[in-house]
Amino acid sequence: ELSFQEKTLANDGTLKLLLSTVDNESIECVGIPTEKRLTACLSSQVGCPMDCRFCATGKEGLKRSLNASEILDQILFIENEMDRKVTNIVFMGMGEPLLNYKNVLKSIEMICSKKGIGISKKKITVSTSGMSKIIKVLADKNVKFNLAVSLHSAVEKTRNKIMPFSKDFPLSDLSDSLNYWYQKTKSKITIEYLVWEAINDNMIHINSLVNFCKRVPSKVNLIEFNDIGNLKFKSAKNRWIQKYIEILESNNISVTLRRSRGKDINAACGHLANKI
């Protein structure tokens, strides 16, 4: 269903593919290799409707959602180009997966089946910007994959500013739905969190995140910010990132710092924007 358009290889071995759909739309997917793993970062939509202020993908708006075989095709292209098997999958490419959850679920069934690619659901992570109602729908379906939530601020006012759609999804609703998810699936949620200068690099934001994590069974993934040319968003000074780590750990909240891969080819988080 998809056809090959262009590939770009980063200095760290990360591969970005630009693929065409039958109706001449373009999507991007990324292969991130380590010695033992090959993670496929997949897109679920052409563009994205969420328009988070710090993300390049949302700038072009939403063209349409991908069907299950278009999602599956991305894995086959990555495996073909990198000449090795994909071991892990993250739905963190273009789009909001939960706004296309029927096709995402269908593609996961195909990926996990013995006749398909045969990857365990435990090695699949679906990342959402926080669609509370759909998180509950998925929990009721007793899905077995991992859930990640792009939070970036546990202060309502800040979150509304950087992720304007979140005005319709208050943090209280989000924490309720995440607790519901945990009750049903017994799977801890990963909180994805970027730290920016003069936005969330202060003690109010750190303490708010700690309080949010105490209400929701979760672990925190701090992510290195990738510049998209918007002067309002600059990565926070390292001392603030360390402060987050120190205070989260002192509250017994598991935290990791994710260094970005593929930055030199615009393949890192928030970069995918079909720049042909």
Side-chain angles (χ1 to χ4, degrees):
E1 294 221 9
L2 298 178
S3 56
F4 177 81
Q5 230 177 312
E6 192 181 282
K7 68 176 174 180
T8 326
L9 192 64
N11 295 328
D12 63 12
T14 299
L15 177 78
K16 180 169 77 169
L17 297 179
L18 184 66
L19 304 171
S20 286
T21 62
V22 287
D23 54 349
N24 289 324
E25 295 292 357
S26 296
I27 58 158
E28 291 179 332
C29 59
V30 180
I32 307 159
T34 63
E35 204 178 310
K36 292 182 177 170
R37 285 180 176 192
L38 174 56
T39 301
C41 177
L42 306 182
S43 292
S44 55
Q45 296 182 304
V46 182
C48 182
M50 308 317 287
D51 194 24
C52 298
R53 297 288 180 247
F54 50 86
C55 179
T57 310
K59 299 275 170 278
E60 61 182 74
L62 176 69
K63 305 278 177 57
R64 69 169 175 85
S65 288
L66 297 176
N67 64 39
S69 53
E70 287 172 321
I71 293 169
L72 202 64
D73 268 4
Q74 295 171 61
I75 302 168
L76 303 177
F77 272 101
I78 289 168
E79 289 188 337
N80 190 42
E81 289 298 325
M82 300 187 87
D83 199 23
R84 58 186 282 199
K85 287 284 173 203
V86 164
T87 59
N88 296 66
I89 287 166
V90 293
F91 282 86
M92 292 183 190
M94 304 170 76
E96 166 52 69
L98 267 51
L99 290 179
N100 185 24
Y101 76 89
K102 288 180 181 168
N103 284 310
V104 167
L105 291 183
K106 200 170 163 190
S107 73
I108 289 172
E109 289 309 317
M110 289 155 75
I111 289 163
C112 299
S113 80
K114 293 277 189 287
K115 287 178 184 169
I117 294 169
I119 292 173
S120 155
K121 285 183 182 168
K122 302 227 177 318
K123 295 197 170 174
I124 297 175
T125 300
V126 175
S127 177
T128 175
S129 48
M131 313 273 95
S132 320
K133 288 176 186 150
I134 307 173
I135 290 169
K136 287 185 170 177
V137 168
L138 293 179
D140 282 334
K141 290 181 180 295
N142 198 23
V143 295
K144 300 292 183 206
F145 53 74
N146 304 300
L147 184 70
V149 176
S150 296
L151 189 70
H152 311 311
S153 175
V155 174
E156 201 87 64
K157 196 176 169 188
T158 309
R159 187 167 152 85
N160 291 170
K161 213 172 185 175
I162 58 177
M163 304 167 84
F165 74 87
S166 68
K167 292 185 181 83
D168 298 328
F169 300 94
L171 287 166
S172 55
D173 288 5
L174 182 58
S175 60
D176 283 353
S177 69
L178 295 177
N179 275 311
Y180 187 79
W181 166 275
Y182 185 74
Q183 283 163 21
K184 292 278 188 177
T185 67
K186 294 292 171 275
S187 166
K188 262 191 178 184
I189 295 101
T190 300
I191 302 291
E192 315 238 67
Y193 201 97
L194 289 154
V195 189
W196 296 285
E197 195 173 278
I199 292 176
N200 58 1
D201 59 344
N202 56 49
M203 287 309 300
I204 292 170
H205 279 86
I206 294 177
N207 291 330
S208 298
L209 178 60
V210 167
N211 291 335
F212 188 88
C213 292
K214 283 183 172 174
R215 294 199 306 273
V216 172
S218 55
K219 52 191 178 184
V220 175
N221 194 354
L222 292 176
I223 308 166
E224 192 180 3
F225 177 61
N226 305 301
D227 181 26
I228 61 159
N230 182 336
L231 298 176
K232 287 179 188 160
F233 292 96
K234 281 198 325 204
S235 188
K237 300 271 187 293
N238 200 43
R239 68 188 176 89
W240 277 109
I241 293 167
Q242 291 310 316
K243 195 92 175 143
Y244 264 96
I245 293 171
E246 188 188 303
I247 293 172
L248 285 162
E249 283 181 342
S250 70
N251 282 278
N252 296 319
I253 296 159
S254 170
V255 56
T256 49
L257 176 62
R258 188 166 90 212
R259 296 284 179 204
S260 283
R261 300 280 305 266
K263 278 206 289 195
D264 53 320
I265 58 163
N266 288 334
C269 276
H271 268 163
L272 302 186
N274 289 336
K275 287 179 188 160
I276 302 173

